[in-house]
Amino acid sequence: MGLDPSHVFVGNGSDEVLAHAFQAFFGHGEAVLFADVTYSFYKVYCGLYSLPYRLVPLDGGMRVGVDDYTGPCGGIVLANPNAPTGMALDLAEIRRLLERHPDRVVLVDEAYVDFGAQSAASLVPDYPNLLVVQTFSKSRALAGLRVGFAFGQPELIEGLTRIKDSFNSYPLDRLAQAGAQASVEDEAWLKQCVEQVIASRTQLSAGLEALGFDVLPSCANFVYTRHPNREAVELAARLREKAIIVRHLKGERTEAWLRITVGTDGQCQALLDALREILHRNS
Ligand SMILES: Cc1ncc(COP(=O)(O)O)c(C=O)c1O
């Protein structure tokens, strides 16, 4: 069985789709589970809808451990690939999670999936508890168009539609529809863009490793990296002085790390040159 329009929901960016999904499916008086290091908006939606949640720590290698998602819960959210780590689970692990929680919705947020992870969309026909959320904002470079979508069995799509219709029945404007359709029809362009990002990511990761950084294996359009004996916050500040912005997230688990977006090859090279100079200057 494949997917047809009854398996698809479309909204204004995947943030809106996620917000509707949290409101529609999560809670039951039990905690929603998601990783302690993941997309920051999951907590925001739980706050907005007064949903209890429990943070499940990533393992020592900053990976999501499916076996850590045990016990009763009000639903599960996984960013796959995860942000900001860039690391992905394979489909066998996602199946395990779905089978362990057959009565709860497992939401897989695939914002970055096109950059090298396996999509769980192919599992939708087998699992009524699976909702897969994707976006046009990343690999398709259309963040300003605000188009996101979800795949799920018709009962879940119906739940999302009910929330949407109670909020704003006609959310997606004509321009966004035309742009999204043009993007879907141009698979060759998507493939070319994604291949370029992956090639640049490989080079960027190698360049960082050559400078002594640890780099997590990324399936996204950014890399997560740390230097064994330099403060990440300090590196980010020095880079900013050179008009290069990288992301440092405060907090015990993320203090040591930088999230660096894969830019053009020229931008990646400028970043590596700047880091080399900063490391050299302070050595
Ligand atoms: C993991 C993840 N999910 C969802 C989104 C939301 O993207 P959008 O609302 O533009 O589709 C983002 C954006 O940064 C993200 O990182």
Side-chain angles (χ1 to χ4, degrees):
M1 186 181 101
L3 302 184
D4 65 36
S6 71
H7 295 92
V8 184
F9 178 85
V10 185
N12 278 297
S14 57
D15 276 340
E16 185 183 78
V17 180
L18 291 170
H20 288 344
F22 273 67
Q23 190 173 18
F25 306 130
F26 291 153
H28 316 281
E30 290 169 320
V32 185
L33 307 186
F34 43 90
D36 63 340
V37 179
T38 192
Y39 186 43
S40 54
F41 259 86
Y42 304 151
K43 267 188 210 169
V44 174
Y45 300 132
C46 285
L48 180 62
Y49 300 124
S50 302
L51 303 170
Y53 62 87
R54 177 157 63 82
L55 302 180
V56 183
L58 298 181
D59 70 15
M62 300 296 270
R63 289 184 176 281
V64 169
V66 164
D67 296 326
D68 299 332
Y69 288 70
T70 50
C73 69
I76 294 176
V77 189
L78 271 187
N80 196 49
N82 197 11
T85 65
M87 285 199 288
L89 295 178
D90 62 28
L91 290 193
E93 292 170 294
I94 291 176
R95 269 182 194 278
R96 257 203 350 265
L97 197 60
L98 289 160
E99 284 166 14
R100 183 169 292 160
H101 300 275
D103 300 328
R104 290 293 178 259
V105 171
V106 176
L107 189 164
V108 183
D109 177 355
E110 296 189 342
Y112 301 97
V113 72
D114 294 335
F115 297 109
Q118 283 178 292
S119 173
S122 63
L123 305 183
V124 163
D126 296 336
Y127 295 96
N129 56 332
L130 169 63
L131 190 77
V132 176
V133 177
Q134 293 194 6
T135 178
F136 282 70
S137 297
K138 312 296 180 185
S139 57
R140 295 177 188 274
L142 292 171
L145 214 56
R146 307 310 303 138
V147 185
F149 55 101
F151 296 128
Q153 292 201 4
E155 291 75 12
L156 292 187
I157 300 306
E158 160 84 24
L160 289 173
T161 305
R162 267 195 249 160
I163 298 283
K164 181 206 74 171
D165 284 347
S166 312
F167 177 71
N168 177 8
S169 306
Y170 305 104
L172 211 63
D173 66 75
R174 281 284 181 90
L175 202 59
Q177 291 179 37
Q181 185 173 341
S183 170
V184 168
E185 286 167 359
D186 198 349
E187 276 300 308
W189 175 247
L190 173 68
K191 187 163 178 279
Q192 187 184 325
C193 294
V194 164
E195 280 171 2
Q196 177 60 59
V197 169
I198 292 173
S200 302
R201 182 179 73 204
T202 306
Q203 273 194 3
L204 174 62
S205 300
L208 288 166
E209 279 169 355
L211 290 175
F213 285 83
D214 303 322
V215 186
L216 297 182
S218 174
C219 290
N221 61 344
F222 49 81
V223 296
Y224 209 44
T225 185
R226 68 177 171 191
H227 196 279
N229 42 39
R230 295 304 163 107
E231 299 275 337
V233 68
E234 181 65 18
L235 290 175
R238 296 288 82 77
L239 285 170
R240 186 176 272 266
E241 286 166 5
K242 295 173 178 290
I244 297 175
I245 296 180
V246 299
R247 195 86 191 270
H248 174 255
L249 299 171
K250 291 200 189 94
E252 192 196 332
R253 298 278 280 148
T254 51
E255 196 57 44
W257 297 86
L258 294 175
R259 171 182 150 157
I260 303 180
T261 302
V262 177
T264 62
D265 284 338
Q267 289 168 335
C268 291
Q269 195 52 54
L271 168 91
L272 292 170
D273 291 344
L275 280 173
R276 187 176 304 106
E277 203 226 288
I278 292 165
L279 293 173
H280 187 72
R281 197 192 321 146
N282 295 337
S283 62

